[in-house]
C-alpha cells in the first residue's frame, strides 16, 4: 500500500541524498504482503497473520495484516537482537530531556500514558517509542512518532494534536469524506487508532534525537486493581524485576469476555520484540543504572479508591504533577514509607498532588477488600515471574514482592 511507504518514510531515520549515493545494498528488506493471508496449514502457523524475521537472510515478511506498525516493530526486533551484542540496551520506551540536559525514559504498555506524558511542553522530546542506551547516552532508533489517537483532545495532548497535518498517516480513524474532519472518538474500526508523523512535526523536539545518560527511569502502569501507589521509588534490582515483569492491567469493556481487571505482563515492556532471554536486557539495565546512579520510579496511571468499577482513574493532572516533581527533584527531601508487599519506597507528600492519594490503602473504604486485592496482585506477579526465575540473577529475583 502507498501509505505503508509514507509510514516508513515518517517512522525511520531517512538517509540524506549524499548517503543514498553511497548506500550500496540494504542490510534488511521488508516484504509487506499484508493484504494476502498467511497459509494456516503451514507447519506451526496458527493464524492468517504472520510476521516473520529471518536474521540470516536479512528479510522480514508480513502477511495477513495491513497494520503499518508491524513494519517498525520488525525493525525494532532486529535492533533487540543486534544491540545487546554490543552491550547496548534497546528499550521500548519514550524519552525526553530538560533544558539542562537531564534525560528521562518512560516505559509502559499501551494505554499507560507513555506517549502522552513524554510529550511535555517543558521538555524536549527525544522520541516516543524506541531507543538505545549506550555508554555515552540514549539515541532514538526512529525518525518519527506513532501516537495513539483514540479520543485525542487538543487540551490534554496539544503536541500530538498539532502534529497532525499534511504528511501524517492516520490509521484506523473515521472521518467525514466531505469536510475531512476526523472523528477521534470513533472506535468503530478498532480502539487502536494511530497517527504517524515525522518527529519534527512536534514543536519541542531534540534534533538529532540523541542525548545523554538517563537521570530517571519511569515505569508506567495502569493498575486497574487500584492497589499500587501513584508513585514509588525503586532500587536498581527492583527496577530490573519490574522491567522483566512489564505489568499493566486490562479493564472490563475493552475486550470481549473481560468482566473484571486482568493483569497483563509483557517482559521488558515489549516481549514480542525481545530476541534474547529477558534477563539479558534486565541485567544490562541494572548495570547501567548502578554505573550512572540513575533513579527508577514506578508510576501508577490507573485506579485509586478501589478497583476498576469502584474506584476512579487517577487524574492526568496529578500524574503530570508527579512527573514534574521527579524532574524538579521535588521528591528528594520528602518522607518515605516502605510499601509492605512490594518493598518499594512511597513518598508521603508530592507537590500539586493530594497527599491522601499517595498511599492507596488510605483511599479505599473497604480495607479487607484492599488487602485481598493486593494479595491477588502479588500472587499474579509471582506466578508470572516463575517462567523467568531459572535464568534471572538471584538479586533480581529477591527484589520481587514478598
Amino acid at each position: 500500500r502507498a501509505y505503508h511507504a509514507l509510514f516508513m518514510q515518517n517512522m525511520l531515520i531517512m538517509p540524506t541524498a549524499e548517503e543514498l549515493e553511497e548506500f550500496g545494498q540494504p542490510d534488511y528488506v521488508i516484504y509487506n504482503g499484508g493484504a494476502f493471508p498467511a497459509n494456516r496449514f503451514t507447519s506451526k502457523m496458527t493464524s492468517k497473520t504472520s510476521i516473520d524475521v529471518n536474521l540470516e537472510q536479512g528479510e522480514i515478511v508480513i502477511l495477513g495484516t495491513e497494520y503499518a506498525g508491524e513494519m517498525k516493530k520488525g525493525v525494532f526486533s532486529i535492533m533487540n537482537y543486534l544491540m545487546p551484542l554490543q552491550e547496548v540496551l534497546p528499550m521500548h520506551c519514550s524519552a525526553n530531556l530538560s533544558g539542562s540536559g537531564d534525560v528521562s525514559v518512560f516505559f509502559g504498555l499501551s494505554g499507560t500514558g507513555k506517549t502522552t506524558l513524554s510529550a511535555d511542553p517543558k521538555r524536549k522530546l527525544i522520541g516516543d517509542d524506541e531507543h538505545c542506551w549506550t555508554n555515552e547516552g540514549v539515541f532514538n532508533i526512529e525518525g518519527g512518532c506513532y501516537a495513539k489517537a483514540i479520543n485525542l483532545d487538543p487540551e490534554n495532548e496539544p503536541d500530538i494534536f498539532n502534529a497532525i497535518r499534511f504528511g501524517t498517516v492516520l490509521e484506523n480513524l473515521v472521518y467525514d469524506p466531505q469536510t475531512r474532519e476526523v472523528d477521534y472518538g470513533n472506535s468503530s474500526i478498532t480502539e487502536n487508532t494511530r497517527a504517524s508523523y515525522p518527529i519534527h512535526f512536534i514543536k519541542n523536539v531534540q534534533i538529532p534525537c540523541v542525548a545523554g545518560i538517563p537521570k530517571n527511569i519511569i515505569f508506567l502502569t495502569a493498575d486497574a486493581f487500584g492497589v499500587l501507589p501513584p508513585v514509588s521509588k525503586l532500587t536498581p534490582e527492583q527496577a530490573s524485576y519490574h522491567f522483566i515483569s512489564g505489568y499493566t492491567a486490562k479493564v472490563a469493556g475493552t475486550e470481549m469476555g473481560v468482566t473484571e481487571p486482568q493483569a497483563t505482563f509483557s517482559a521488558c515492556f515489549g516481549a514480542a520484540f525481545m530476541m534474547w532471554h529477558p534477563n539479558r536486557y534486565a541485567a544490562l539495565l541494572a548495570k547501567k543504572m548502578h554505573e550512572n546512579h540513575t533513579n527508577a520510579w514506578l508510576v501508577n496511571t490507573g485506579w485509586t479508591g478501589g478497583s476498576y468499577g469502584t474506584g476512579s482513574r487517577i487524574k492526568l493532572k496529578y500524574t503530570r504533577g508527579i512527573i514534574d516533581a521527579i524532574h524538579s527533584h521535588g521528591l528528594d527531601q520528602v518522607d518515605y514509607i516502605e510499601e509492605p508487599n512490594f518493598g518499594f519506597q512511597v513518598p508521603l507528600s508530592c507537590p500539586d498532588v493530594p497527599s491522601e492519594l499517595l498511599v492507596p490503602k488510605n483511599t479505599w473504604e473497604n480495607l479487607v477488600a484492599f488487602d485481598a486485592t493486593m494479595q491477588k496482585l502479588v500472587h499474579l506477579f509471582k506466578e508470572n515471574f516463575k517462567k523467568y526465575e531459572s535464568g534471572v540473577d538471584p538479586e533480581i529475583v529477591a527484589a520481587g514482592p514478598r
Side-chain angles (χ1 to χ4, degrees), residues 233-248:
K233 193 170 186 182
L234 313 180
T235 66
E237 290 72 29
Q238 287 171 337
S240 295
Y241 181 92
H242 286 274
F243 183 56
I244 291 175
S245 297
Y247 165 70
T248 192

Side-chain angles (χ1 to χ4, degrees), residues 315-332:
K315 290 180 179 176
L316 181 59
K317 68 176 182 179
Y318 295 147
T319 303
R320 287 197 193 279
I322 288 166
I323 302 298
D324 288 346
I326 290 170
H327 289 149
S328 66
H329 304 283
L331 297 177
D332 287 2

Side-chain angles (χ1 to χ4, degrees), residues 7-280:
F7 175 89
M8 289 304 266
Q9 185 168 301
N10 284 351
M11 295 309 301
L12 297 187
I13 299 168
M14 296 305 293
T16 63
E18 293 76 22
E19 286 170 334
L20 278 174
E21 282 183 12
E22 304 293 325
F23 190 77
Q25 293 300 308
D27 296 315
Y28 285 81
V29 177
I30 300 173
Y31 296 97
N32 190 331
F36 188 84
N39 182 352
R40 281 186 280 183
F41 296 102
T42 304
S43 174
K44 298 185 181 178
M45 191 72 72
T46 58
S47 158
K48 66 178 183 180
T49 299
S50 72
I51 296 88
D52 293 287
V53 181
N54 188 319
L55 295 166
E56 290 85 359
Q57 294 185 30
E59 293 179 351
I60 299 173
V61 177
I62 297 170
L63 297 172
T65 174
E66 294 178 64
Y67 176 55
E70 303 297 1
M71 294 183 291
K72 88 181 199 87
K73 291 306 181 192
V75 173
F76 186 48
S77 298
I78 292 164
M79 293 295 277
N80 273 285
Y81 173 74
L82 295 174
M83 291 296 97
L85 296 173
Q86 301 178 39
E87 290 298 295
V88 172
L89 176 64
M91 304 180 293
H92 187 210
C93 69
S94 56
N96 63 22
L97 78 160
S98 69
S100 61
D102 283 0
V103 174
S104 287
V105 296
F106 298 78
F107 290 95
L109 299 176
S110 183
T112 58
K114 181 162 58 85
T115 301
T116 301
L117 292 167
S118 59
D120 185 334
K122 298 183 287 297
R123 297 171 66 86
K124 283 188 174 182
L125 183 71
I126 303 166
D128 82 328
D129 200 40
E130 300 172 5
H131 296 81
C132 287
W133 185 347
T134 70
N135 290 333
E136 286 75 44
V138 297
F139 68 86
N140 189 355
I141 294 170
E142 300 182 307
C145 298
Y146 194 37
K148 283 194 90 169
I150 192 71
N151 298 320
L152 185 63
D153 178 83
E155 191 175 326
N156 286 334
E157 297 170 287
D159 292 299
I160 297 169
F161 190 87
N162 293 326
I164 296 175
R165 64 180 90 149
F166 183 77
T168 297
V169 174
L170 294 182
E171 191 172 29
N172 296 327
L173 281 151
V174 175
Y175 68 97
D176 187 309
Q178 256 67 52
T179 65
R180 301 276 179 177
E181 191 172 332
V182 179
D183 182 358
Y184 290 106
N186 191 318
S187 60
S188 59
I189 298 172
T190 174
E191 283 266 332
N192 193 15
T193 60
R194 296 276 180 167
S196 158
Y197 45 85
I199 198 158
H200 62 262
F201 279 19
I202 294 271
K203 270 186 182 175
N204 201 16
V205 68
Q206 172 84 345
I207 302 286
C209 304
V210 179
I213 300 289
K215 285 280 198 319
N216 291 291
I217 291 171
I218 298 167
F219 297 116
L220 300 169
T221 181
D223 176 34
F225 294 96
V227 294
L228 290 181
V231 58
S232 313
K233 193 170 186 182
L234 313 180
T235 66
E237 290 72 29
Q238 287 171 337
S240 295
Y241 181 92
H242 286 274
F243 183 56
I244 291 175
S245 297
Y247 165 70
T248 192
K250 296 175 186 171
V251 297
T254 57
E255 290 189 20
M256 287 178 65
V258 178
T259 56
E260 59 178 28
Q262 284 191 358
T264 300
F265 296 95
S266 183
C268 308
F269 294 92
F273 325 120
M274 302 299 155
M275 295 280 194
W276 303 100
H277 188 284
N279 188 64
R280 183 151 191 174

